[in-house]
Each structure stands twice: as C-alpha cells, then as structure tokens.
Amino acid sequence: MLARSDAYRCIECGLPYRAAGFSYHRGKIEDGAAYWSDRGILCSPQCSLAHHCKRQAEGTLPQTPAPDPF
C-alpha cells in the first residue's frame, strides 16, 4: 500500500488532520473538524483564536454571515 500525505492541515500551525491533538466536532473524526473558516480548517481553539486575531488585524474578517445554502 502506498503512503499518502494528509491533504488537510490546520491553516495556522500546519497540524495534519487525524493527528493527535486535532479537535473534531463532537469529538468524532467522522464529524469533521471542530473549527474552520472560509480559508480552511483549524485544529484547536487556540489556532481558531489566533486566526481570528490575525484576520482582524489584516481587516479581512467577513462583514456578513455566509448565505444560507438552503
């Protein structure tokens, strides 16, 4: 079997999805990442806060909620 690299990584720290310490929605890997933004997934509350602060400083925070897909 060929080894494959993880396609998904935390956009702040680079921690790969499925790595120890990655936070999942409801604690289950099947439910996906617990934290995410329009730019990618985040591995923890700390990275989520760091990403928010960075975007706030850049002035790139979304100004309106995402549209309802339904």
Side-chain angles (χ1 to χ4, degrees):
M1 186 171 170
L2 296 173
R4 73 172 181 89
S5 61
D6 275 325
Y8 302 107
R9 294 182 171 275
C10 176
I11 58 175
E12 280 298 310
C13 71
L15 184 69
Y17 192 74
R18 295 184 195 89
F22 205 99
S23 296
Y24 304 106
H25 184 64
R26 289 187 271 177
K28 295 196 243 176
I29 194 169
E30 305 87 38
D31 291 339
Y35 302 95
W36 54 274
S37 81
D38 57 337
R39 295 185 178 174
I41 60 174
L42 299 148
C43 69
S44 66
Q46 294 82 11
C47 282
S48 178
L49 183 59
H51 184 68
H52 177 80
C53 291
K54 183 189 302 183
R55 291 206 47 194
Q56 189 173 32
E58 292 172 351
T60 59
L61 284 175
Q63 300 301 313
T64 60
D68 186 356
F70 303 104

